[in-house]
Amino acid sequence: MLNCIKTGFQLTNKYIILATPLILFSLLSSLYVLFSFRGELINVILSLVLFVLMLGAFLSGWAYMLKKCVLKQNDDDPNLLIKEFPAGVGEYFLPVLGLICNIFLLSALFLLGVYLVGTKFIGDVGISAQALSKAFDSMEALKLFMMSLSKEQIIKLNAWNFLILITMSVEYFLLMFQLPTLVFKCANPFKAFFISLKDLFSKMFLKNVLLYFLLFISYSVLSILTTIFVVNVVMHFIFTLINFYYLVFIAVLVFNYYYENFIKIGGKFDETI
């Protein structure tokens, strides 16, 4: 595991060009969401469809760059990796759209599960959606909102938060190998979904859990620090850059880990389910 992490940092530093598509997509998508999701329902639906297409184009090109980064670790000019982006879009755009559909369906099932379990075992908190939305307008509004809750409401709210956190953690774990499987083993997104689960729950299961646990905890800590320093413009900017770097590192680490443990060993592509 330590060797994988070390290699992950080395590849991230060498192929830091991987951050360029991520930063550009983050900026463009943020502007697009800010100005597009307005007006009538049909306009919102069309904007959402276009956003999904943009996301598919980004993920397909970026995933192909990550694959080439792992396969060509000794390239003399790592900046040439950016030229692989259009080829990735051409090859994996439709499979990635299928992957996004899989994730959407899985998320819908998990949300339904959260609702059914929470309703049965926790119950209604007694807070309207409008009141909850206004609570996040500012830190002062959030403090006033929390002070207005009864002890029972706070207990139920914490229980709902814990249930959602656990559910999201399980879902993210199940999705950890989805993209690497798609570009390394099988371009069929529906078949790749089951292959990735097979690899996830293989004899490497405990090692996979350890990898996920390390990534989840480290990124959670980084997110908390970024939130704390949001009031300081300079520190917030620094932590934003660190977040982009760490996101690239996570992607490189997962792709390299998958390659080393499920592709490179034996030199064969296991596409059995």
Side-chain angles (χ1 to χ4, degrees):
M1 182 65 71
L2 290 177
N3 287 334
C4 280
I5 294 175
K6 180 181 178 182
T7 303
F9 276 115
Q10 290 174 343
L11 290 175
T12 302
N13 293 333
K14 181 177 181 179
Y15 293 98
I16 196 63
I17 191 69
L18 283 164
T20 301
L22 178 62
I23 294 173
L24 289 176
F25 176 75
S26 298
L27 292 174
L28 292 175
S29 60
S30 297
L31 291 173
Y32 176 78
V33 170
L34 183 63
F35 293 106
S36 298
F37 286 80
R38 297 177 179 179
E40 298 179 358
L41 179 61
I42 184 64
N43 293 329
V44 174
I45 293 174
L46 290 175
S47 297
L48 180 61
V49 170
L50 184 55
F51 178 79
V52 171
L53 294 176
M54 291 168 55
L55 179 62
F58 162 70
L59 287 177
S60 55
W62 202 49
Y64 191 67
M65 289 177 65
L66 288 165
K67 176 182 178 180
K68 291 298 183 180
C69 159
V70 170
L71 294 176
K72 299 181 178 181
Q73 298 185 13
N74 298 316
D75 274 0
D76 293 329
D77 190 356
N79 289 328
L80 292 177
L81 187 66
I82 195 68
K83 294 184 178 180
E84 303 289 352
F85 188 90
V89 176
E91 185 171 352
Y92 292 108
F93 179 66
L94 291 179
V96 167
L97 287 182
L99 175 65
I100 293 174
C101 290
N102 287 344
I103 295 174
F104 175 80
L105 292 174
L106 185 65
S107 298
L109 289 175
F110 271 89
L111 284 174
L112 178 61
V114 167
Y115 174 76
L116 293 175
V117 173
T119 302
K120 182 175 179 60
F121 295 102
I122 301 175
D124 184 32
V125 183
I127 303 172
S128 67
Q130 185 179 5
L132 190 61
S133 176
K134 289 183 178 180
F136 290 96
D137 289 344
S138 64
M139 288 299 297
E140 188 64 28
L142 183 60
K143 289 179 181 179
L144 293 174
F145 171 75
M146 294 302 297
M147 291 175 63
S148 67
L149 299 178
S150 66
K151 184 177 180 180
E152 183 181 358
Q153 285 179 311
I154 293 175
I155 292 174
K156 286 187 176 182
L157 186 61
N158 288 334
W160 273 102
N161 288 334
F162 181 73
L163 176 62
I164 293 171
L165 176 63
I166 293 298
T167 305
M168 289 175 59
S169 300
V170 172
E171 182 183 3
Y172 292 160
F173 177 67
L174 296 178
L175 295 174
M176 184 166 64
F177 292 151
Q178 292 292 305
L179 202 53
T181 303
L182 190 74
V183 298
F184 275 120
K185 284 189 174 182
C186 179
N188 183 320
F190 307 104
K191 186 177 179 180
F193 176 80
F194 293 103
I195 294 173
S196 69
L197 293 181
K198 170 181 170 290
D199 292 336
L200 191 66
F201 291 95
S202 65
K203 61 182 180 180
M204 303 284 294
F205 176 72
L206 293 179
K207 191 176 180 181
N208 297 337
V209 171
L210 176 60
L211 172 67
Y212 178 76
F213 181 78
L214 291 174
L215 294 179
F216 184 82
I217 295 299
S218 59
Y219 192 71
S220 296
V221 171
L222 182 58
S223 299
I224 292 171
L225 291 175
T226 303
T227 304
I228 292 174
F229 288 107
V230 69
V231 293
N232 187 307
V233 177
V234 176
M235 291 301 297
H236 183 63
F237 175 74
I238 293 173
F239 272 95
T240 299
L241 294 179
I242 294 174
N243 267 280
F244 279 119
Y245 174 84
Y246 200 65
L247 283 173
V248 174
F249 164 72
I250 289 175
V252 170
L253 175 60
V254 171
F255 268 70
N256 186 60
Y257 173 89
Y258 190 79
Y259 174 72
E260 292 288 339
N261 291 280
F262 299 100
I263 302 296
K264 189 176 179 180
I265 303 301
K268 293 183 179 181
F269 288 80
D270 177 17
E271 294 187 9
T272 58
I273 298 177

